[in-house]
Amino acid sequence: MGKVIDKKRALSFKDNAQLYEKVRPGYPDTWISDLQEVVKLNKKSKILEVGSGTGKATSDLIKVSKHVTCLDPAKEMLEIAESKFPTLKFINLTFEEFNSDELYDLIISATAWHWVDPAVGYKKAYDLLVESGFMAIIRYYHIDSDPKSFHNRAQYIYEYYNKATSSKRHAEQLNRIKEDALALNNNYFQLVKKFEYKWQVNYSIEDYLALRNTYSDHITMDPADRLKMEHQLKEFAQKEFGGKLTKKYTTVLFIAAKP
């Protein structure tokens, strides 16, 4: 039985497409060269990007091949990507709905594969790849073990308003990396390489709250609770951190081969 996908959360980004494009970070500089080294991409490689959004990862993929097909269920996100990359092919569908007679050398998903039903996704990816094809997933994980950091000291605010954000979040994120790696070893794929990148971004509290408004769990909160939480986070950040904070990211690139 497939994982239950929360369609409301999965499609919540469409109403914040412009903000998503403005405040969401891209991916570490070296990820695309690491991918190319393993997959042996070239200018003729056919790539299907699942959940391409506004094109954060697309901007790196087109450096190695111009044959990128961008797939996303949010039309508003695709319109932004298409304005940036008008020569690419854009399809406004979920991966579960998508069908093609064309085969791809690489299927990649950047911070979006968790919205795909695994009972459908892995087999479909297998069927859409050439015999020597690869599947790759790159994803952010929010891991910060520093007890003095803004995020850890502000946990009581997150927990009060949003039970999905708990004091166990960072341990859960570490476990999620292991789970995502295990998930790629299945009947259709074998994980062949994993790259891990650690980096950080400095934010004003205003920019950080704008970023939070592109997260599905934040967008789908009760609007009144969301405003109250944002107000308390802003007050806390200004009082304890001078209105500035550092957000730590761990980004992992998983590459799996079609046996």
Side-chain angles (χ1 to χ4, degrees):
M1 184 175 180
K3 177 177 70 174
V4 176
I5 304 296
D6 187 335
K7 294 298 183 182
K8 180 181 178 181
R9 284 185 62 181
L11 292 172
S12 64
F13 307 104
K14 68 184 182 66
D15 296 327
N16 297 65
Q18 292 289 345
L19 185 63
Y20 188 104
E21 169 63 11
K22 180 180 178 181
V23 303
R24 277 287 184 113
Y27 294 89
D29 293 339
T30 58
W31 86 273
I32 194 66
S33 58
D34 290 335
L35 176 68
Q36 187 174 15
E37 182 179 346
V38 176
V39 180
K40 308 302 181 186
L41 297 169
N42 58 60
K43 293 181 179 180
K44 294 183 179 180
S45 297
K46 293 182 180 180
I47 301 172
L48 176 65
E49 185 181 2
V50 178
S52 56
T54 63
K56 295 292 183 178
T58 317
S59 60
D60 293 324
L61 291 170
I62 61 172
K63 295 174 184 176
V64 296
S65 175
K66 305 300 182 186
H67 301 282
V68 181
T69 298
C70 299
L71 182 69
D72 200 285
K75 182 181 178 182
E76 297 82 355
M77 304 280 272
L78 280 184
E79 287 174 347
I80 293 173
E82 190 168 7
S83 70
K84 296 192 295 182
F85 316 113
T87 62
L88 300 184
K89 184 177 181 180
F90 297 89
I91 301 174
N92 182 208
L93 290 173
T94 65
F95 187 59
E96 292 90 336
E97 296 167 331
F98 176 71
N99 287 293
S100 174
D101 293 329
E102 186 173 22
L103 296 180
Y104 299 90
D105 300 291
L106 170 69
I107 293 177
I108 182 164
S109 186
T111 318
W113 188 254
H114 52 290
W115 298 121
V116 176
D117 183 352
V120 177
Y122 292 113
K123 183 182 186 306
K124 177 165 279 192
Y126 179 92
D127 291 340
L128 287 170
L129 284 169
V130 299
E131 286 304 314
S132 57
F134 287 83
M135 179 176 181
I137 295 170
I138 185 166
R139 185 176 181 182
Y140 301 123
Y141 299 87
H142 305 284
I143 299 169
D144 187 348
S145 59
D146 181 2
K148 296 181 180 179
S149 72
F150 170 82
H151 296 93
N152 286 325
R153 288 189 58 197
Q155 274 298 330
Y156 72 96
I157 300 174
Y158 294 121
E159 289 181 10
Y160 182 82
Y161 289 101
N162 188 351
K163 301 304 181 184
T165 305
S166 71
S167 57
K168 298 179 181 178
R169 179 175 177 83
H170 306 303
E172 289 171 352
Q173 291 280 295
L174 286 169
N175 286 333
R176 189 169 292 168
I177 294 175
K178 296 177 182 178
E179 291 169 358
D180 288 347
L182 287 171
L184 270 170
N185 281 312
N186 52 55
N187 293 333
Y188 304 102
F189 293 97
Q190 180 181 1
L191 181 67
V192 294
K193 197 73 176 180
K194 178 168 77 87
F195 296 93
E196 192 167 306
Y197 315 92
K198 293 185 182 296
W199 50 296
Q200 61 186 40
V201 180
N202 297 321
Y203 293 101
S204 67
I205 184 58
E206 291 79 12
D207 287 343
Y208 170 69
L209 291 177
L211 176 69
R212 281 205 63 88
N213 274 286
T214 68
Y215 293 161
S216 60
D217 60 340
H218 194 81
I219 297 168
T220 54
M221 283 179 67
D222 174 81
D225 284 347
R226 183 169 63 242
L227 288 174
K228 290 176 183 176
M229 186 177 81
E230 289 177 354
H231 178 73
Q232 287 194 26
L233 287 171
K234 188 172 184 178
E235 280 193 336
F236 180 76
Q238 289 172 337
K239 180 181 178 182
E240 301 293 332
F241 293 85
K244 299 182 183 299
L245 59 100
T246 299
K247 184 168 179 58
K248 295 182 180 180
Y249 292 95
T250 296
T251 301
V252 183
L253 170 63
F254 305 93
I255 303 174
K258 179 176 178 177

